[in-house]
Amino acid sequence: MTDPMIALTLLALLIGLLAAGVWVAVSLTIVGLTGLVLFSNAPSGLVLASTLWGHSHSWPLTALPLFILMGEILLRSRMSDDMFTGLAPWLSRAPGRLLHVNVFGCSIFAAVSGSSAATAATIGRMSIPELTKRGYPESLIIGTLAGSATLGLLIPPSIILIVYGVATEQSIARLFIAGILPAVMLVTLFAGYVAVRAWMNPDLIPPMDQTYSFKEKLRASRRLVPVALLIGCVIGSIYGGLASPTDAAALGVVLATILAWSSGAFSWSLFGAAVMSATRTSCMIALILLGAAFLSVSMGFTGLPRNLASWISSLDLSVTALLVALTIFFIILGCFLDGISVIVLTTSIIMPMVTAVGIDPIWFGIYLVIVVEMSQITPPVGFNLFVIQGLTGIDILRIAKAAFPFFLLLLLGVVLISIFPKIVTFLPGLIGN
Amino acid sequence: MGRLLKKIYDICGAISGGLILCICVLISGQIVLNAFGRLSPGTLPSTIPSYADFSGFMLAGATFLALAHTLRAGGHIRVNLVTSRLPKRAQFFMEGFVLIVAAVVIGYAAWFVGSLVLESVHYGDVSNGIVPVALWIPQSVAAFGITLLLVAILHTFVELIQAGEPILSTPDEV
């Protein structure tokens, strides 16, 4: 069989397995096995066993369960309850007023949890009733929530960046640092959009209900300060080169536990629930990573990605044309697959192509995460849409419509980092190699 | 029998959680030693020997031992976009198909990871850190975890046949 035929056969097999509801990790393994058995001479069982073992105990991967655990502990502490009351006094004068609580609340929480669906659920549970009660327009409440919650994927420490870093053997510390400026840019875009909407149509936003003195503001947000400090410590220690992401993650777990206990309302049973939930999530992600690692190894034996890469370079495509094509491809893929699966599939097959045209792998990681963020709010499979539907009972298409401006803002973000790649590469460049 | 199996999945899941906490304690211990090394050099040893290796092995243990527990809790991601729109009867058959396919693949993996363990025993393979660890020890945990996953898949298949209707669930995304 010729290469394109092999690629199409394997792709059809993968789509078939996924559509049938076979677990993603198992589907990846089956496609890997098929590639090895049919299109190479490698001993498939041996390769499978050594890949499963060899990729299961790396040091960068150790950061994964620890960061997940940190988020699970903070999720169960009191901090999420304080997010609305803590942020509202500071934002009541901004154009768009309390809608910004969604944007900034999600950003802070995203830094803690690294999960987009958990961010939408936790912030939405408090902010949707409060904002609706005060008379803010439904489309903007839901739109800001759905859009901002996607930031959970990008704002470090981000689980999905660890997955990308482990799968492509890039430095996770550099990926985290590279994510900082794009995250700030997206938060600014979201907040800016809310402000512009409020200026254009002042009747949209209900009047200020209450003024606060500086002291009252501080008191309202006193429980948020330790969390901000925690995130600062964790990111700061990575940025300052004091700790590897894995070290910083262990430190984060210890600090989060202390913080949760000292805030009251935390117990051994909550701690146990946090540990078990983190264990399951990390097991699920690790299994997908193992399946993807095996698929990558198998594809390496068949030589497909290499040939695909040289075919792409022979086309003499401009980087822009390639990125436009990839973005469309990922948005479609993201309509049907979850973010982690999109990332690991990409790294198995598309990475050689990307490096062949001279795209920086760190930059590509950030680009990929923003594109995956967009797919979180597109139907039919947009996890944030499901979460918000679960919270409000509103029809999913209406939620998708409310979230659409934020989809466009994310797209604008992708265009911006493509025109000005320095937004991504500036900070990691500062710390050198 | 079913209850005994459920107990085993949960115990192994709990051990996984314990291993993750151990990783956390081990790395935190190393961070404390680093800090001491900066403040007053020489009072304490500067490193826990091979702590990165041990963290890695515990991570592998945590991942493999939790496989069955995570499966039973509906924690592994699958796409149900297509199947959830099928009639109940068709869903039932699809789930049977999914479980059989998964059992074959996981059984294959369990077999070869098992033979990897035997190979490590045969050649006396050790890790190449400061503290050499015989590789068959963490590898047998991996082999056991994958085998337990196979058992959990077959167990779910039996339950599917008994229930006569679709039973698999899908997690929220992380």
Side-chain angles (χ1 to χ4, degrees):
Chain A
M1 266 206 261
T2 55
D3 270 353
M5 277 309 291
I6 297 175
L8 282 180
T9 313
L10 292 178
L11 190 65
L13 177 67
L14 180 67
I15 293 171
L17 288 168
L18 289 175
V22 177
W23 288 277
V24 172
V26 175
S27 306
L28 297 174
T29 311
I30 295 174
V31 176
L33 276 175
T34 312
L36 273 186
V37 171
L38 294 186
F39 311 116
S40 85
N41 303 317
S44 54
L46 272 181
V47 174
L48 176 61
S50 57
T51 312
L52 286 183
W53 168 248
H55 286 77
S56 66
H57 58 269
S58 76
W59 173 248
L61 187 61
T62 314
L64 182 78
L66 298 180
F67 274 127
I68 296 174
L69 180 57
M70 179 183 97
E72 293 284 348
I73 291 172
L74 287 176
L75 191 75
R76 287 170 173 77
S77 74
R78 286 263 293 276
M79 78 158 270
S80 51
D81 303 340
D82 302 330
M83 197 66 87
F84 193 90
T85 44
L87 283 175
W90 299 96
L91 299 167
S92 58
R93 282 172 181 279
R97 298 188 210 290
L98 299 187
L99 285 172
H100 291 290
V101 171
N102 267 346
V103 178
F104 291 97
C106 283
S107 319
I108 297 174
F109 199 81
V112 170
S113 85
S115 149
S116 159
T119 305
T122 315
I123 299 297
R125 199 169 295 133
M126 290 164 304
S127 70
I128 293 176
E130 292 281 345
L131 292 175
T132 314
K133 196 172 72 195
R134 287 174 168 81
Y136 287 88
E138 178 198 89
S139 70
L140 275 175
I141 299 176
I142 293 171
T144 49
L145 181 65
S148 317
T150 63
L151 295 171
L153 300 181
L154 183 61
I155 295 180
S158 139
I159 303 300
I160 211 156
L161 278 178
I162 299 181
V163 169
Y164 178 83
V166 168
T168 58
E169 296 176 350
Q170 293 299 317
S171 151
I172 291 166
R174 293 174 78 83
L175 281 168
F176 278 2
I177 290 161
I180 295 174
L181 282 184
V184 171
M185 173 188 80
L186 287 175
V187 172
T188 314
L189 283 177
F190 288 177
Y193 171 76
V194 171
V196 168
R197 284 292 300 271
W199 267 320
M200 279 165 49
N201 192 351
D203 300 335
L204 217 54
I205 307 297
M208 206 155 37
D209 45 4
Q210 173 176 10
T211 51
Y212 303 87
S213 72
F214 186 71
K215 231 177 178 168
E216 283 170 328
K217 287 180 185 170
L218 272 188
R219 177 162 338 158
S221 56
R222 69 188 180 283
R223 287 212 197 82
L224 288 184
V225 176
V227 176
L229 286 179
L230 167 67
I231 300 304
C233 279
V234 170
I235 298 302
S237 64
I238 300 173
Y239 186 75
L242 291 173
S244 71
T246 311
D247 294 322
L251 194 69
V253 172
V254 174
L255 292 178
T257 312
I258 295 172
L259 212 70
W261 280 110
S262 61
S263 77
F266 198 64
S267 63
W268 282 111
S269 70
L270 281 177
F271 183 72
V275 172
M276 285 321 294
S277 175
T279 305
R280 283 191 293 272
T281 306
S282 122
C283 172
M284 177 272 287
I285 297 177
L287 187 64
I288 293 185
L289 269 171
L290 289 179
F294 176 63
L295 180 63
S296 299
V297 171
S298 154
M299 290 297 108
F301 274 110
T302 62
L304 270 182
R306 210 167 41 242
N307 298 344
L308 193 63
S310 52
W311 176 65
I312 290 285
S313 2
S314 74
L315 287 184
D316 257 343
L317 274 178
S318 69
V319 172
T320 318
L322 180 68
L323 282 178
V324 170
L326 282 179
T327 307
I328 294 170
F329 174 69
F330 287 135
I331 291 175
I332 295 171
L333 202 60
C335 283
F336 303 98
L337 276 179
D338 65 282
I340 288 174
S341 308
V342 171
I343 299 262
V344 296
L345 268 180
T346 309
T347 52
S348 306
I349 296 156
I350 296 179
M351 250 356 244
M353 183 165 104
V354 168
T355 38
V357 295
I359 297 176
D360 176 24
I362 298 273
W363 181 89
F364 190 72
I366 303 299
Y367 153 84
L368 196 55
V369 168
I370 300 180
V371 178
V372 167
E373 284 185 348
M374 292 160 63
S375 74
Q376 296 279 320
I377 51 175
T378 47
V381 179
F383 284 90
N384 287 4
L385 303 180
F386 291 154
V387 169
I388 294 171
Q389 185 183 31
L391 281 177
T392 59
I394 297 172
D395 173 57
I396 195 151
L397 286 179
R398 222 162 91 208
I399 302 173
K401 206 176 132 216
F404 188 66
F406 293 86
F407 175 85
L408 293 182
L409 289 173
L410 286 168
L411 194 59
L412 176 63
V414 168
V415 172
L416 285 176
I417 65 164
S418 306
I419 301 175
F420 309 104
K422 276 275 172 212
I423 299 172
V424 178
T425 54
F426 176 67
L427 283 183
L430 279 187
I431 58 166
N433 288 307
Chain B
M1 183 66 182
R3 278 175 65 190
L4 175 70
L5 284 175
K6 277 175 197 158
K7 200 92 198 157
I8 296 176
Y9 308 142
D10 289 345
I11 290 172
C12 288
I15 296 174
S16 295
L19 284 171
I20 289 176
L21 288 180
C22 286
I23 296 173
C24 190
V25 170
L26 185 65
I27 297 176
S28 307
Q30 178 59 47
I31 294 172
V32 170
L33 286 185
N34 281 344
F36 263 101
R38 295 252 168 104
L39 295 176
S40 58
T43 45
L44 285 172
S46 63
T47 52
I48 302 171
S50 295
Y51 80 106
D53 283 351
F54 283 116
S55 312
F57 292 147
M58 286 196 280
L59 172 70
T63 303
F64 287 113
L65 284 180
L67 286 174
H69 168 81
T70 307
L71 179 90
R72 299 290 296 185
H76 291 300
I77 286 193
R78 52 193 282 271
V79 180
N80 67 349
L81 189 70
V82 183
T83 51
S84 63
R85 281 173 174 68
L86 296 173
K88 278 269 182 282
R89 197 76 200 138
Q91 271 188 51
F92 170 76
F93 284 112
M94 281 312 263
E95 294 194 353
F97 165 76
V98 164
L99 286 164
I100 292 171
V101 167
V104 170
V105 175
I106 299 300
Y108 185 79
W111 176 264
F112 278 96
V113 174
S115 54
L116 187 72
V117 176
L118 295 182
E119 221 173 89
S120 299
V121 173
H122 182 74
Y123 292 105
D125 290 341
V126 291
S127 66
N128 44 15
I130 304 168
V131 182
V133 178
L135 283 182
W136 66 267
I137 303 172
Q139 282 174 352
S140 15
V141 177
F144 174 77
I146 299 177
T147 313
L148 193 64
L149 177 63
L150 174 64
V151 172
I153 292 171
L154 295 174
H155 183 186
T156 311
F157 183 74
V158 171
E159 284 182 348
L160 176 79
I161 302 295
Q162 282 170 350
E165 57 174 10
I167 53 171
L168 292 182
S169 56
T170 322
D172 296 335
E173 205 216 10
V174 276

